[in-house]
Amino acid sequence: MIIEAKPEPITVNCAETAVIVVDMQNDFCSKGGLFDRAGINLLAVQKAVGTTRKVLFAAREAGIKIVYLKMGFRADLSDIGETGSANRVRHLHLGVGQPCIASDGREGRFLIRDTWNTDVINELRPQPEDVVLYKHRFSGFYQTELDDILRSLRIINLIFTGCTTSVCVDSTIRDAMFRDYRCILLADCVAEPIGSELAPSNHEASVLTIQTVLGWVSDSERFESALQARRPLAAALDLSR
C-alpha cells in the first residue's frame, strides 16, 4: 500500500509492517497517574486516544502486527539507573516508585511494572495476539527484546503512535532509524505536553525533525485511506488465483 506522507509518499507491505504504541498507559494518560499527579495537562495525550484506537482497529483488520511499549521499572528500582544518573534523578523527582491509589481504588506505584500505573489504558487494551514489552529507558530498543522480535517477524516498517512525541516516541524512532527500520509517525496519534505553549511547540519541532531526517510523517486518516485503497487490489488478486 502507498501511504501519503511527508516528505514523500511511502510504499509499505502490510506483512512487513508493525504499529508501535508507545507508553499509552495509565501513568501518562489517566487521572490519578504520574502525569496527573505532577500537574501535567492530559488533554493532548487523551486527544490522541481516539485516533490511535481507529488506527489499531484498521491495522488489526489488515493483519498488521501491533507492538505495545510500556515504561515501567522493577519494584526494587534496580533498573532505574546509577546514583546521580539523569534517568534516576529525573524519575525519582517525578515520584516514580511512590505509592498511590488508582482511580478504581486499587493500590498502585508510579511507573512500577505490573501495577495499574503501567497498564495500557482500557481504550487501547492489547489483544492476545499483540506484543507487549516493558522498557526502562525512553527508547523501546534499549536493553529490550524489541529488535529481535521485529526481525524474527521480518518487520521493516514501523508505524508510530503514543506519547510523548519529543521524548519516548522520538527516542524510539531514532534508535529504529539507526537500525535501518523505516519509521512513519502518525502525527495525530502522538502528543507532547512539554513545551506545548511554545511556538513552534516541542511536538511540532519533533515532527519536523522526523520528516526531515529520521523518517516519514503522516496521520491516521491517510493511513486508514491507504489500507482501504489496497482492499480492491487484494480482492482482485485473490480472485485471479
Side-chain angles (χ1 to χ4, degrees):
M1 65 176 176
I2 302 174
I3 303 174
E4 293 296 326
K6 295 180 179 179
E8 69 275 316
I10 178 170
T11 301
V12 301
N13 182 335
C14 289
E16 299 175 336
T17 302
V19 173
I20 310 295
V21 185
V22 182
D23 294 353
M24 293 299 278
Q25 57 200 67
N26 287 316
D27 260 337
F28 301 138
C29 304
S30 302
K31 288 289 184 182
L34 181 70
F35 272 9
D36 184 48
R37 175 189 182 275
I40 295 172
N41 194 319
L42 302 178
L43 289 178
V45 176
Q46 291 176 341
K47 186 178 179 181
V49 172
T51 50
T52 301
R53 186 176 183 177
K54 291 179 181 178
V55 163
L56 296 182
F57 180 82
R60 288 192 175 101
E61 278 201 325
I64 294 175
K65 196 67 178 176
I66 312 294
V67 178
Y68 289 83
L69 300 176
K70 303 197 298 180
M71 190 77 176
F73 299 100
R74 297 191 182 100
D76 62 0
L77 299 179
S78 59
D79 54 353
I80 202 169
E82 298 295 331
T83 301
S85 68
N87 196 70
R88 185 183 187 91
V89 170
R90 297 294 190 274
H91 280 96
L92 292 181
H93 177 73
L94 278 173
V96 169
Q98 293 181 12
C100 69
I101 300 298
S103 57
D104 62 0
R106 284 189 289 161
E107 293 185 0
R109 287 180 69 194
F110 293 118
L111 278 192
I112 297 301
R113 294 183 177 203
D114 304 324
T115 64
W116 170 87
N117 304 75
T118 51
D119 284 346
V120 175
I121 59 174
N122 288 333
E123 297 92 327
L124 305 178
R125 185 176 299 170
Q127 300 301 306
E129 66 272 16
D130 299 334
V131 175
V132 182
L133 292 176
Y134 276 114
K135 61 187 181 68
H136 58 91
R137 293 297 187 273
F138 296 144
S139 170
F141 286 93
Y142 183 80
Q143 294 184 354
T144 73
E145 304 83 21
L146 179 58
D147 191 41
D148 290 339
I149 290 171
L150 294 174
R151 295 197 186 282
S152 71
L153 295 170
R154 301 184 183 277
I155 300 295
I156 59 173
N157 309 299
L158 305 180
I159 310 292
F160 277 88
T161 70
C163 69
T164 64
T165 314
S166 67
V167 185
C168 290
V169 175
D170 184 284
S171 297
T172 305
I173 285 177
R174 288 172 187 265
D175 271 0
M177 181 262 193
F178 299 156
R179 290 166 171 80
D180 291 334
Y181 291 99
R182 305 198 305 168
C183 302
I184 302 107
L185 178 77
L186 301 184
D188 61 338
C189 294
V190 296
E192 177 57 72
I194 298 173
S196 58
E197 74 286 356
L198 302 176
S201 66
N202 279 20
H203 169 84
E204 291 167 335
S206 291
V207 167
L208 179 60
T209 301
I210 291 166
Q211 73 184 42
T212 303
V213 295
L214 300 176
W216 291 259
V217 173
S218 188
D219 58 36
S220 60
E221 185 177 344
R222 289 178 174 84
F223 175 71
E224 291 176 69
S225 294
L227 287 175
Q228 290 170 1
R230 66 177 280 277
R231 288 173 187 164
L233 177 60
L237 289 174
D238 286 341
L239 290 173
S240 66
R241 289 173 183 168

